[in-house]
């Protein structure tokens, strides 16, 4: 029994299915790839059931989830962000027009029972990173695709050697100072890909584009020892006891810095959110349990980036 996922950036016209270079394996914990044929049903007054059915607008959208391995996931981040720059072994991704991928999903049940599905024109519509204590950091990607072709099973010969990011390798900095009271963090990026790019003369998506502003949101869970950031989120300023007349929001610079398990102290991933506003607070007090203080945030303005260092 064997399963795999291989990915690579797509070259040529959208949906060509031609990778810019050989697709490479990426280690994942789960992949979902539902294919919705969205049949068009014809009804007639002459019968009790549908008179006929035809294939409709092909909808392919799924999920890909695994432990966060920044180097292996570089094609996914490039497709998500759309723009990159290279500088002395560091690839920095910033928001631009999304790019398309080729993704190959293979499965083998027995020696003679296997298949590979190649998805063409794959767009990464969103990504969620979860940082939780006692766990490996997880990355979940939502994707859509133009079309697919089934072929022969062809597993990757090897995978890039890379350890996943573990919770104690991730440091959250607020205003440039490492925080010691953050219990967990989630970060979601929604590129607002247009899933309705259908035109006359074709049954599948014809273009990879966006249809709205990108949403970058998340949530911080603080221990009960945190007062400064929680009050800043409540009033807009930790020094104030109430919300001022100009109704300000607490604004901070958040940075997530992750180090390489195999090279202690060496940074391999930096997520920069230079302009972040606190939007919601939620405090739970139950019995004599530790108080959990949750603060939701939203990234605004420019400067948001994700840098992978090799």
């Amino acid at each position: 029994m064997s399963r795999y996922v291989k990915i690579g950036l797509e070259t040529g016209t959208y949906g060509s299915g031609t990778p810019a270079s050989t697709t490479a394996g990426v280690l994942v914990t789960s992949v979902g790839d539902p294919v919705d044929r969205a049949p068009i049903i014809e009804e007639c007054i002459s019968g009790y059931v549908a008179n006929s059915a035809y294939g409709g607008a092909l909808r392919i959208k799924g999920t890909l989830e695994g432990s966060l391995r920044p180097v292996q996931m570089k094609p996914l981040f490039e497709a998500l962000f759309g723009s990159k720059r290279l500088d002395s072994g560091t690839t920095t991704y910033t928001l631009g027009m999304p790019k398309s991928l080729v993704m190959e999903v293979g499965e083998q049940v027995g020696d003679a029972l296997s298949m590979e599905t190649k998805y063409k024109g794959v767009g990464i519509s969103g990504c969620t990173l979860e940082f939780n204590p006692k766990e490996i950091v997880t990355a979940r990607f939502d994707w859509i695709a133009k079309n697919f072709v089934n072929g022969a099973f062809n597993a990757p010969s090897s995978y890039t050697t890379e350890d996943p990011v573990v919770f104690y390798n991730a440091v959250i900095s607020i205003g440039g100072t490492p925080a010691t009271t953050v219990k967990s963090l989630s970060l979601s990026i929604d590129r607002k890909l247009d899933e309705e790019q259908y035109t006359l003369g074709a049954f599948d998506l014809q273009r990879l584009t966006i249809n709205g502003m990108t949403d970058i949101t998340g949530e911080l869970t603080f221990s009960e020892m945190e007062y400064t950031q929680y009050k800043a989120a409540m009033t807009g300023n930790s020094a104030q006891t109430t919300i001022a007349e100009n109704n300000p929001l607490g604004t901070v610079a958040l940075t997530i810095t992750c180090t390489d398990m195999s090279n202690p102290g060496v940074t391999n991933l930096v997520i920069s959110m230079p302009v972040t506003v606190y939007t919601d607070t939620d405090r739970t007090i139950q019995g004599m349990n530790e108080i959990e203080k949750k603060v939701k945030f939203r990234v605004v303005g420019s400067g948001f980036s994700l840098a992978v260092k090799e």
Side-chain angles (χ1 to χ4, degrees):
M1 182 181 294
S2 179
R3 298 93 178 260
Y4 63 84
V5 173
K6 297 189 294 185
I7 56 174
L9 289 169
E10 188 175 58
T11 189
T13 58
Y14 173 62
S16 68
T18 303
S21 57
T22 303
T23 54
V26 57
L27 294 170
V28 300
T29 53
S30 67
V31 58
D33 58 344
V35 177
D36 182 1
R37 299 297 310 280
I40 299 172
I41 307 299
E42 181 189 28
E43 298 180 357
C44 296
I45 63 172
S46 56
Y48 291 104
V49 298
N51 183 60
S52 57
Y54 308 91
L58 179 63
R59 292 185 180 275
I60 306 172
K61 56 188 300 184
T63 59
L64 189 72
E65 184 171 342
S67 302
L68 177 59
R69 285 182 165 86
V71 175
Q72 276 191 18
M73 293 177 170
K74 284 174 66 176
L76 293 166
F77 289 129
E78 183 168 348
L80 174 70
F81 280 80
S83 181
K84 72 174 182 181
R85 68 176 186 271
L86 304 176
D87 183 25
S88 302
T90 298
T91 306
T92 301
Y93 301 99
T94 54
L95 295 177
M97 285 301 296
K99 296 181 179 179
S100 60
L101 296 167
V102 174
M103 182 170 68
E104 297 158 347
V105 180
E107 57 157 308
Q108 183 180 55
V109 178
D111 291 340
L113 298 172
S114 65
M115 66 179 288
E116 176 185 276
T117 304
K118 176 193 284 188
Y119 291 101
K120 305 183 291 183
V122 174
I124 304 299
S125 57
C127 172
T128 299
L129 302 178
E130 296 281 355
F131 299 80
N132 293 302
K134 302 186 292 185
E135 295 180 7
I136 294 173
V137 178
T138 60
R140 173 191 168 102
F141 298 89
D142 299 312
W143 57 272
I144 61 174
K146 175 182 173 67
N147 213 320
F148 68 92
V149 58
N150 287 324
F153 183 87
N154 182 23
S157 57
S158 63
Y159 292 85
T160 301
T161 301
E162 181 183 12
D163 292 312
V165 177
V166 182
F167 78 98
Y168 50 79
N169 294 117
V171 174
I172 314 301
S173 295
I174 302 176
T177 302
T180 59
T181 56
V182 176
K183 298 184 68 175
S184 64
L185 178 146
S186 66
L187 175 66
S188 296
I189 305 166
D190 182 358
R191 290 306 317 268
K192 294 291 192 298
L193 293 190
D194 190 351
E195 299 180 16
E196 300 297 330
Q197 279 292 317
Y198 297 101
T199 62
L200 297 179
F203 60 79
D204 52 14
L205 290 174
Q206 295 299 294
R207 186 166 165 247
L208 184 65
T209 188
I210 57 176
N211 188 25
M213 300 291 293
T214 297
D215 282 339
I216 308 167
T217 57
E219 183 176 82
L220 289 158
T221 300
F222 292 103
S223 74
E224 63 184 6
M225 299 297 291
E226 180 57 61
Y227 286 93
T228 300
Q229 298 304 319
Y230 193 73
K231 289 191 289 185
M234 291 181 74
T235 66
N237 186 328
S238 62
Q240 299 296 320
T241 58
T242 188
I243 300 174
E245 290 186 4
N246 61 343
N247 197 17
L249 292 173
T251 304
V252 296
L254 292 180
T255 306
I256 304 172
T257 304
C258 303
T259 54
D260 189 345
M261 283 281 288
S262 299
N263 298 285
V266 177
T267 299
N268 65 353
L269 176 69
V270 177
I271 303 174
S272 300
M273 298 168 274
V275 185
T276 305
V277 294
Y278 292 142
T279 60
D280 300 81
T281 62
D282 183 13
R283 178 173 53 189
T284 301
I285 304 175
Q286 183 176 1
M288 293 305 294
N289 297 342
E290 181 182 11
I291 300 170
E292 282 198 344
K293 300 173 179 177
K294 296 184 177 182
V295 174
K296 292 183 180 180
F297 63 84
R298 185 184 186 101
V299 178
V300 298
S302 60
F304 176 69
S305 66
L306 183 150
V308 178
K309 300 183 179 182
E310 295 187 58

